Amino acid sequence: MDFIQNTAPHLRKPNASVVRMMRDVVIALSPLVVLAIINHGLRAVWIMLVAVLSMAVTEYIYYQIHDAINRNREGMENLFDQLAKLKKALKEAEQQDQKDTLKKQIAEIKQAISEKKRESKREENKRFHPINKNFTLYNYSILVSGVIYGLTIPDATPLAIVIIGGVVAVILVKLIFGGMGQNIFNVAAFGRAFIALSFGGLVAVANHVDATSNATVLGELVAAPFSETGYSLTTMFTGIGLPGTLGEVSAMLILVGGIYLFLRKSFDVFIPLVYVGTVFVLALATMLVTDAGWWFPLTHLLSGGLLFGAIYMATDPITAPVTRPGRIYFAFGLGLITFVIRLFGAYPEGVVFAILIMNIFVPAIDFPKWSHTQFNWRRAIIFTAVVLLSITAVMIGAESLAGGLNG
Amino acid sequence: MIAKTRKVSDYKQLNTELPTVRFVDPERVYLNLTTSRCKEYTLDVKAGDHVKLGQIIGERDGCFFRQPVYATISGTVEDKVTMIDSTGIDVECITIRNDFKDTYHESITDRPDSVIEKMTQEEMVEIIKEKAVVGLGGSGFPSYVKLATEETIHTVVINAIECEPYLSSDYRLIKDQPDEIFQGLSYIMQAVNAKQGIIAVKKTKTELIEVLEREAERFKHLNVSIAKLGDYYPQGWEVETFKNATGIKVPSGDLPMKHGLLGFNVSTTESIYEAIKHNLPITKRYITVNGDGVKFPQSIRTRVGTSVRELLKLCDGFVDDADKLELVIGGPMMGTAVKSDNVVVTPTTTSVLVFRPIEYKEEPCVRCGSCVYSCPVHIQPVSIMQAVKRNDVEAIKGLEANKCIECGLCSYVCTSKIPVTDYVKDGKKKIG
């Protein structure tokens, strides 16, 4: 009988699993994909397919190269270490004879490495290894990023642009930082922001023949912030016939997915609650100082990518803080930045930018010196003061904006 | 699953239904002469000598205390052997062959109640020290140190929580010997002059509550109450038990005695009774044999010094179809996996668990935060793990890794199946 000596604890929670969490996100997103296909037909199928494949294929190729290099180095790690040391010494060496001996040694080690490469498993290395253990399709991570990225893209965007965004996002944000779990920015949000900034007008909503207007709800709001849009709240809730990106239009289906994730505990419900709540309260405060009606906060709540971003993008645990107070600060920051961009910025939509900006602050929120797992009175008072100050600032800003528009 | 987890599932029925098996007469017992605390020892007997139950056969030598070794049976001394103790380290043991007569040593005499009534704290501490009573919850901390406290103690809390899953040895003890527990509690209260006694037990264990409440009625003059606490892990952690049973929060790093509280494990209480009333050292204890790797799990009352191999034989041995098993001494959350089944029952051994090992696939950490939400001392295991990986001592200090009680919840809840607890333990070592 063999006895295995694992460290304590000897039990693990059965349904705690990354794969389960990621699979749940895919399941929660699937109604949105179906709706996108109903709304936009084959166009949506192409965009989704291209978005997912551009990310997955890039990652696969990257890890194939990564593995091939590592396989080549297998069993020769100490030789490479020596080589690196000698090269460093060569850089620091001053006298000519010292340099010569070092160069000689380097040549010897290079020789040894190439000989070893020749003899060791050369045939084995040449073979193609289709299975790659670093590839994150098996735990749905890259699929989640791809589907979310695809759903944030407007239907008239050229496929080439979708590919560029996907490839750049995966390489720059995920792979260079060390793969899954190491990224600082949300992959999907970065891809979306990248194509929006690089290709501006091409990332656009198609003209709908049957719709009364072809501008999105937020597009109308940026032109006239305090006058009611041409869409009813019911249209915005169901998302049928509403122009917009592939997946962001239906508040109803997004909420259904959110409830599913909440029941399965596959995301932290505090982030979307605080995020959406912050935007709603700020819009409410703005409503009080301008002559906009009740439609104003409700429109901000239901339109654009707010619900989608809050439920599927901001809750990406890798790019969120780890403590509950940290997550609340993070979500509040998201809400504030989103609303400020929407009301005062040049862009109609602020969700992806808010997520990217707040991603930068995550290491600061989690900094060991001041990160904390519990609220106490002092922290609660400071946070409340910050919240109240932000509301006041937004109210003052909104009042002068409304005054400027009227006068 | 991003959630605060406090419940550790038992996965299957505990073996509380079966009667306790009495296995008090093994062929040989092995008495450990060294422990993880005491590396040196002196031995007063040699092979061939006849010893009696309760006779001092040697002395363990720790750095700051000495602890006598008692024979737990009567019989003939044989060779020294090396075995494994409950902490997983090799200890030297002396073998005694049982003569099945249980002849008591002359020193083992009952104290009449009238004598005990007049005893002072110092006298009781002296007996506890002499009889080598240690914390039987698993810590093995000498009990006389606690009992000799000079602080004013208002409440004595008896910890009968047993929050680790699979374990039922304390459960057995309370069902079989509630009277002894109350006697032991009364001695402790007399020693420290406490006004109030509390026995903390899980509210889900209704059978125990019934037993304890009836006993409390009988010992009315003691002013003992039964605190029914929530069924979660780690409820049995001393600070958590104190907080929920008395409402007093003992800050990290403080001794509970400073706050007027004195806590003892329920098994320790029973052995304090044996020591004071019968002048007996710890000779017997309850052991749970459980897990999916053993054929017939059950609870056993056995002699201290019994070989675990014999206990496993009593439970029909390991399952046939497994070629690899995990043998855990102690609870599944904090216990130690040992390298072979050559294990000896020491006073601090609470259980023998045999698991079929499950190999989990470790994924990269996604910072889901489950470990942060679940941590009973409110530190951030994931951040400590990252700080340990990059060897950042300042950050480990800032994250208060020293508060960790090594309960194992962070590894338990980890969605990526990372052994987070190991990293935090490493971090604790790094900051000393």
Side-chain angles (χ1 to χ4, degrees):
Chain A
M1 179 64 65
D2 283 340
F3 292 101
I4 293 185
Q5 281 189 283
N6 287 337
T7 49
H10 308 280
L11 299 178
R12 295 301 180 86
K13 195 173 173 183
N15 51 8
S17 132
V18 169
V19 179
R20 177 182 182 271
M21 247 158 64
M22 295 290 182
R23 196 175 46 219
D24 276 349
V25 178
V26 176
I27 293 170
L29 284 167
S30 51
L32 295 172
V33 177
V34 173
L35 182 81
I37 293 169
I38 292 171
N39 274 350
H40 304 285
L42 210 55
R43 184 79 208 150
V45 178
W46 277 115
I47 289 180
M48 295 302 305
L49 212 63
V50 163
V52 172
L53 282 180
S54 65
M55 288 195 169
V57 170
T58 310
E59 198 190 57
Y60 185 70
I61 293 171
Y62 177 90
Y63 278 126
Q64 283 295 347
I65 296 169
H66 174 269
D67 274 18
I69 293 170
N70 279 352
R71 225 176 285 128
N72 259 328
R73 290 184 168 213
E74 221 164 82
M76 288 177 263
E77 283 89 354
N78 49 356
L79 283 178
F80 278 100
D81 281 355
Q82 278 179 30
L83 188 66
K85 258 184 214 161
L86 285 173
K87 276 187 177 167
K88 205 181 160 197
L90 184 64
K91 252 185 205 168
E92 286 163 2
E94 282 163 6
Q95 281 150 359
Q96 193 55 42
D97 53 333
Q98 229 177 344
K99 277 186 185 174
D100 287 343
T101 40
L102 283 171
K103 272 181 189 166
K104 221 176 181 179
Q105 281 172 329
I106 289 174
E108 273 169 20
I109 285 184
K110 277 186 177 167
Q111 183 76 20
I113 289 172
S114 58
E115 259 172 41
K116 230 180 174 179
K117 267 186 190 168
R118 221 169 293 144
E119 66 193 47
S120 75
K121 304 186 275 175
R122 202 167 162 205
E123 288 311 303
E124 162 79 358
N125 289 351
K126 265 188 181 170
R127 228 183 62 225
F128 180 65
H129 299 260
I131 293 169
N132 192 308
K133 62 177 176 9
N134 289 317
F135 186 40
T136 57
L137 192 63
Y138 73 86
N139 60 21
Y140 299 89
S141 162
I142 196 75
L143 185 64
V144 168
S145 297
V147 171
I148 293 176
Y149 170 61
L151 287 173
T152 59
I153 293 172
D155 56 323
T157 312
L159 293 181
I161 290 177
V162 179
I163 295 177
I164 292 170
V167 172
V168 169
V170 165
I171 292 179
L172 282 190
V173 172
K174 189 173 184 183
L175 299 176
I176 279 185
F177 282 95
M180 183 186 173
Q182 306 292 325
N183 44 317
I184 294 171
F185 295 108
N186 185 308
V187 180
F190 184 87
R192 176 66 174 88
F194 179 78
I195 57 170
L197 292 175
S198 308
F199 304 104
L202 289 173
V203 185
V205 178
N207 287 333
H208 282 258
V209 187
D210 53 337
T212 47
S213 138
N214 58 32
T216 60
V217 180
L218 286 175
E220 285 189 26
L221 275 183
V222 86
F226 304 117
S227 41
E228 206 164 346
T229 59
Y231 300 98
S232 72
L233 289 174
T234 343
T235 316
M236 284 184 226
F237 187 67
T238 58
I240 296 165
L242 190 72
T245 67
L246 291 184
E248 293 171 358
V249 286
S250 172
M252 187 177 65
L253 290 183
I254 292 168
L255 286 175
V256 167
I259 290 167
Y260 172 75
L261 288 177
F262 170 67
L263 292 179
R264 296 271 293 175
K265 291 187 181 159
S266 287
F267 74 169
D268 193 341
V269 74
F270 273 80
I271 295 174
L273 281 184
V274 175
Y275 184 3
V276 175
T278 306
V279 171
F280 187 73
V281 168
L282 290 174
L284 213 62
T286 309
M287 183 191 93
L288 293 178
V289 293
T290 59
D291 44 7
W294 273 102
W295 61 269
F296 183 77
L298 289 173
T299 304
H300 270 284
L301 198 68
L302 296 174
S303 65
L306 177 63
L307 287 175
F308 185 83
I311 289 175
Y312 297 108
M313 288 156 97
T315 53
D316 173 14
I318 298 168
T319 53
V322 291
T323 63
R324 175 143 294 161
R327 284 178 177 173
I328 289 171
Y329 306 149
F330 173 76
F332 169 72
L334 286 172
L336 182 65
I337 295 171
T338 303
F339 191 71
V340 166
I341 292 177
R342 277 186 177 185
L343 198 60
F344 307 112
Y347 275 90
E349 179 56 296
V351 172
V352 285
F353 297 112
I355 289 171
L356 293 174
I357 291 168
M358 283 314 288
N359 283 166
I360 302 173
F361 286 99
V362 169
I365 294 172
D366 275 346
F367 192 66
K369 252 191 190 132
W370 53 70
S371 71
H372 43 268
T373 53
Q374 283 171 310
F375 275 112
N376 58 19
W377 277 108
R378 206 177 114 249
R379 287 166 191 153
I381 289 167
I382 293 173
F383 181 59
T384 318
V386 171
V387 171
L388 292 176
L389 269 176
S390 323
I391 293 174
T392 321
V394 166
M395 280 166 96
I396 294 168
E399 199 171 12
S400 65
L401 182 69
L405 287 174
N406 290 337
Chain B
M1 204 168 196
I2 304 177
K4 177 171 182 168
T5 301
R6 300 208 298 175
K7 234 175 145 65
V8 178
S9 37
D10 255 340
Y11 300 104
K12 56 179 181 177
Q13 193 65 35
L14 285 174
N15 51 2
T16 44
E17 277 85 15
L18 289 167
T20 311
V21 177
R22 292 185 65 79
F23 182 66
V24 288
D25 281 312
E27 186 76 21
R28 285 180 174 81
V29 295
Y30 310 89
L31 300 168
N32 60 320
L33 297 164
T34 57
T35 66
S36 54
R37 281 199 178 87
C38 314
K39 307 278 180 225
E40 304 285 318
Y41 64 89
T42 49
L43 190 62
D44 305 340
V45 292
K46 57 183 190 300
D49 284 0
H50 187 267
V51 292
K52 289 174 180 170
L53 203 167
Q55 183 182 338
I56 296 177
I57 56 167
E59 201 170 40
R60 294 183 199 110
D61 192 358
C63 293
F64 60 95
F65 65 95
R66 301 173 79 77
Q67 196 177 48
V69 182
Y70 287 92
T72 55
I73 52 166
S74 58
T76 322
V77 178
E78 288 183 344
D79 301 336
K80 271 189 243 172
V81 287
T82 303
M83 292 178 92
I84 301 166
D85 79 347
S86 58
T87 53
I89 61 163
D90 283 333
V91 291
E92 272 192 71
C93 299
I94 182 89
T95 315
I96 299 175
R97 206 168 89 173
N98 199 349
D99 63 2
F100 299 102
K101 285 184 191 137
D102 269 2
T103 350
Y104 285 88
H105 191 247
E106 299 76 48
S107 65
I108 311 299
T109 47
D110 282 7
R111 280 192 187 81
D113 284 341
S114 53
V115 175
I116 296 173
E117 267 167 33
K118 294 196 189 77
M119 279 167 96
T120 60
Q121 184 175 12
E122 286 73 38
E123 283 168 326
M124 283 197 184
V125 168
E126 200 43 53
I127 297 169
I128 303 297
K129 186 176 178 181
E130 192 197 311
K131 293 297 165 191
V133 177
V134 292
L136 299 188
S139 68
F141 188 74
S143 297
Y144 76 87
V145 181
K146 272 190 189 175
L147 199 67
T149 179
E150 280 164 12
E151 308 272 355
T152 341
I153 302 294
H154 53 76
T155 310
V156 176
V157 180
I158 303 301
N159 190 340
I161 297 286
E162 201 167 44
C163 63
E164 285 242 30
Y166 285 95
L167 304 198
S168 56
S169 51
D170 286 354
Y171 179 96
R172 286 295 166 173
L173 174 74
I174 298 167
K175 273 204 126 173
D176 293 358
Q177 297 168 301
D179 203 65
E180 280 86 340
I181 295 165
F182 273 79
Q183 292 282 8
L185 174 57
S186 76
Y187 298 160
I188 297 168
M189 286 168 71
Q190 185 191 330
V192 298
N193 197 18
K195 302 274 172 296
Q196 190 195 0
I198 294 177
I199 299 181
V201 67
K202 275 186 187 174
K203 65 179 169 204
T204 45
K205 293 188 176 162
T206 40
E207 310 95 324
L208 295 188
I209 294 170
E210 217 165 279
V211 170
L212 289 170
E213 270 175 352
R214 280 172 65 176
E215 278 303 318
E217 197 63 27
R218 204 167 149 212
F219 287 81
K220 224 170 185 170
H221 57 283
L222 272 183
N223 188 18
V224 175
S225 55
I226 314 297
K228 297 154 204 142
L229 308 187
D231 180 11
Y232 64 84
Y233 184 84
Q235 179 70 271
W237 170 42
E238 206 177 40
V239 176
E240 192 77 16
T241 310
F242 285 149
K243 194 180 96 193
N244 293 324
T246 65
I248 299 169
K249 240 178 149 176
V250 181
S252 169
D254 262 14
L255 282 176
M257 281 80 113
K258 213 175 127 190
H259 299 264
L261 296 167
L262 187 63
F264 281 104
N265 178 273
V266 64
S267 308
T268 320
T269 316
E270 196 263 344
S271 36
I272 287 175
Y273 164 79
E274 298 282 354
I276 292 175
K277 178 71 187 168
H278 302 306
N279 211 18
L280 261 177
I282 303 162
T283 58
K284 292 171 192 168
R285 76 154 297 142
Y286 289 85
I287 299 274
T288 310
V289 182
N290 208 340
D292 53 5
V294 67
K295 272 187 193 156
F296 192 68
Q298 52 191 345
S299 298
I300 304 170
R301 177 146 175 88
T302 188
R303 197 78 69 156
V304 168
T306 312
S307 158
V308 163
R309 269 189 194 141
E310 288 188 56
L311 298 184
L312 287 166
K313 218 179 281 166
L314 219 61
C315 300
D316 295 351
F318 299 122
V319 285
D320 299 322
D321 55 337
D323 54 343
K324 279 181 186 163
L325 285 173
E326 204 178 348
L327 183 66
V328 178
I329 308 298
M333 297 297 280
M334 295 177 75
T336 317
V338 292
K339 61 189 175 207
S340 88
D341 58 354
N342 185 25
V343 183
V344 63
V345 173
T346 62
T348 50
T349 312
T350 54
S351 57
V352 176
L353 304 174
V354 190
F355 295 118
R356 291 169 191 271
I358 307 169
E359 272 183 40
Y360 294 103
K361 186 169 165 21
E362 197 177 314
E363 311 253 358
C365 173
V366 296
R367 295 159 46 84
C368 70
S370 297
C371 53
V372 181
Y373 287 3
S374 305
C375 182
V377 291
H378 307 294
I379 56 175
Q380 300 165 42
V382 53
S383 308
I384 294 171
M385 177 180 85
Q386 281 157 352
V388 168
K389 276 184 182 168
R390 56 172 197 264
N391 210 356
D392 185 346
V393 176
E394 278 309 303
I396 303 173
K397 265 185 202 156
L399 292 163
E400 297 175 306
N402 55 318
K403 276 187 178 175
C404 171
I405 56 166
E406 304 182 8
C407 67
L409 262 181
C410 43
S411 293
Y412 176 76
V413 301
C414 182
T415 51
S416 300
K417 309 290 178 202
I418 299 168
V420 191
T421 315
D422 294 354
Y423 285 103
V424 182
K425 282 181 192 167
D426 261 14
K428 269 173 87 172
K429 270 185 212 136
K430 279 197 168 118
I431 57 173

